Amino acid sequence: MLPKNFNLQLRNKIFGGSRIAPEEALELFSWDIIELGKAADMRRKIAFPKEEVGFIIDRIVNFTNICEAACAFCAFHARANQIYSYELTIEDICRKVEELVQAGGTQVMLQGGLHPDYTLDTYKKMIKEIKTRFPEVYLHSLSPSEIVHISRKSALSINNVVKTLKEAGLDSVPGASDLLVDRIRKKISPKKISVDEWCEVLYTLYHNNMKSSATMTYGMGETDEEKIEHLAVIRDIQDRTGILRAFIPWSFSPANTRLENIQPATGIEYLKVVAIARIFLDNITYIQAGWLTEGLKLAQIALTMGANDMGGVLMEEVVVKATGIKTKTNRRELVGIIKNAGKIPVQRDSEYRVTRIFHDNA
Ligand code: SF4
């Protein structure tokens, strides 16, 4: 028997592989989680027919937490007083990159606050030095907000900034999208970029032949309509550019932020977001299960409801840890979790090419 509120026409559309409209995606929030999960897994098989689940060995290097944006949802920036202010030197950064290389890691994500004194030159030197010393490392680094910040500080166009950083050795830029809804952004991160500016950076990356990704931080007081609004911006960007390698949703962790009174999103809400994203974003191949914020067990379940990547092992992560989250993992554990979900664990590079298949726990 079909569950209550079940829309057979929409079900047929999803199982037939057709694109769904935003209003239809909204309706999916009221679906039974098991039905929704099955539909999402079927769409995952259309987008990615293999049963492989990838991960990468990477390291986030948060080079400074001094930030003039002071977003209400952030526990990391120095003015949130959770961590003392700091700035890493190029030597400090290179030491961390060296540790990653020695551990067999391949990707570095340089991320920092919007430091009032950093200009294009600061970032250029940082990137150039890392690439000169470690040419084998892939720099999936900075963010659209940092790119706009640099362009303002240096009085240069976004295109000029992207071009220069690419020439210095920047390989790709994470989408760091937060929630692409201006009503929410004005409330919680008014000094950060607008939705239009985010799109402008993505188009500029596209024109410079660079790839990106998209994320989603939900559970910050938005409505379900606004969650779909966010997904619609991402689907549209991907239709126009094709530069998004992956989509990574995670729930907002309110502890230690100015939004501490917000009730954290539940596990079911997370699984629904993953499943709806998989069905709605019919033009993105990889959807990552967010083990860092959701925990390893929930991320494992997400692999059966639309997700097909576990992201990075993350040798170092400070931003989420500032909210009190302590989840850690390693390659052995991720391999075990992926296998236990009935999938084939694979190590991959930043371009999602498989570099190792794990037939046995390793
Ligand atoms: S989220 Fe980023 S831009 Fe906002 S305060 Fe934190 S470090 Fe700064």
Side-chain angles (χ1 to χ4, degrees):
M1 202 176 77
L2 288 172
K4 226 172 116 198
N5 293 337
F6 203 71
N7 177 339
L8 193 57
Q9 207 181 351
L10 178 54
R11 183 189 185 281
N12 289 342
K13 202 168 173 183
I14 293 170
F15 277 78
S18 302
R19 173 165 281 200
I20 65 164
E23 320 75 77
E24 292 171 320
L26 186 60
E27 192 182 321
L28 296 179
F29 281 103
S30 66
W31 274 30
D32 170 78
I33 184 67
I34 301 294
E35 289 302 325
L36 182 61
K38 278 185 198 161
D41 193 44
M42 205 283 307
R43 291 296 286 244
R44 190 270 308 160
K45 283 183 186 135
I46 293 178
F48 185 77
K50 296 179 190 171
E51 291 303 317
E52 290 174 353
V53 170
F55 64 87
I56 189 167
I57 299 179
D58 60 353
R59 182 168 197 163
I60 297 182
V61 179
N62 296 111
F63 49 85
T64 181
N65 67 342
I66 298 171
C67 180
E68 59 185 23
C71 306
F73 66 89
C74 176
F76 166 72
H77 68 275
R79 277 170 55 198
N81 292 331
Q82 300 307 322
I83 312 174
Y84 292 111
S85 68
Y86 70 84
E87 286 176 77
L88 299 184
T89 62
I90 290 188
E91 279 312 310
D92 295 332
I93 296 170
C94 285
R95 241 190 323 275
K96 287 174 185 284
V97 177
E98 190 165 7
E99 284 169 11
L100 173 80
V101 171
Q102 280 169 2
T106 56
Q107 176 176 278
V108 172
M109 298 172 82
L110 297 166
Q111 286 170 348
L114 308 182
H115 194 297
D117 304 328
Y118 285 16
T119 61
L120 179 58
D121 217 40
T122 321
Y123 295 88
K124 201 171 109 184
K125 275 190 191 140
M126 195 189 295
I127 289 168
K128 219 172 186 154
E129 190 63 29
I130 297 171
K131 272 292 187 174
T132 307
R133 292 204 213 171
F134 309 98
E136 70 276 37
V137 159
Y138 190 99
L139 286 181
H140 180 49
S141 292
L142 306 182
S143 63
S145 295
E146 283 167 285
I147 304 266
V148 170
H149 177 72
I150 299 167
S151 93
R152 284 180 191 150
K153 290 289 164 186
S154 307
L156 288 165
S157 70
I158 291 173
N159 190 49
N160 240 324
V161 171
V162 169
K163 241 187 178 65
T164 308
L165 295 178
K166 186 184 176 186
E167 274 163 22
L170 182 65
D171 293 299
S172 62
V173 178
S177 327
D178 303 331
L179 201 72
L180 296 167
V181 174
D182 279 328
R183 183 186 78 85
I184 298 290
R185 297 178 88 86
K186 277 182 193 145
K187 265 168 75 174
I188 62 174
S189 51
K191 294 188 186 160
K192 235 177 163 178
I193 53 175
S194 66
V195 176
D196 282 350
E197 285 171 314
W198 185 87
C199 292
E200 190 186 344
V201 174
L202 272 276
Y203 286 127
T204 310
L205 291 172
Y206 166 64
H207 289 303
N208 283 280
N209 220 2
M210 291 181 82
K211 297 284 184 191
S212 186
S213 55
T215 59
M216 172 176 181
T217 312
Y218 67 91
M220 298 191 292
E222 78 285 346
T223 62
D224 285 345
E225 284 85 349
E226 287 169 331
K227 287 186 181 79
I228 302 299
E229 188 181 325
H230 173 90
L231 294 178
V233 174
I234 289 167
R235 189 167 77 175
D236 184 56
I237 281 279
Q238 182 71 335
D239 276 346
R240 292 164 192 262
T241 67
I243 68 167
L244 303 177
R245 286 188 172 128
F247 174 70
I248 310 121
W250 57 69
S251 61
F252 167 58
S253 310
N256 299 333
T257 73
R258 297 208 307 277
L259 303 177
E260 242 171 351
N261 294 335
I262 287 189
Q263 192 65 23
T266 67
I268 292 292
E269 280 161 350
Y270 172 69
L271 294 174
K272 284 192 172 183
V273 166
V274 170
I276 293 169
R278 169 56 78 193
I279 295 166
F280 187 75
L281 298 175
D282 54 0
N283 51 6
I284 295 186
T285 308
Y286 296 96
I287 294 192
Q288 287 183 15
W291 61 265
L292 180 66
T293 48
E294 315 308 319
L296 286 157
K297 291 180 182 175
L298 193 57
Q300 187 189 34
I301 298 170
L303 296 180
T304 67
M305 297 192 176
N308 60 340
D309 193 87
M310 285 296 260
V313 169
L314 297 182
M315 270 182 67
E316 183 182 17
E317 201 289 330
V318 182
V319 177
V320 174
K321 273 201 190 92
T323 68
I325 286 179
K326 294 197 169 52
T327 317
K328 265 184 166 175
T329 193
N330 55 51
R331 186 174 71 185
R332 197 183 182 82
E333 189 177 33
L334 275 191
V335 166
I337 279 171
I338 295 168
K339 277 198 151 193
N340 183 253
K343 309 282 179 183
I344 304 158
V346 298
Q347 192 170 329
R348 62 164 176 83
D349 65 12
S350 306
E351 296 176 2
Y352 288 75
R353 292 176 301 214
V354 173
T355 55
R356 183 172 173 187
I357 301 179
F358 293 83
H359 296 292
D360 298 306
N361 275 9

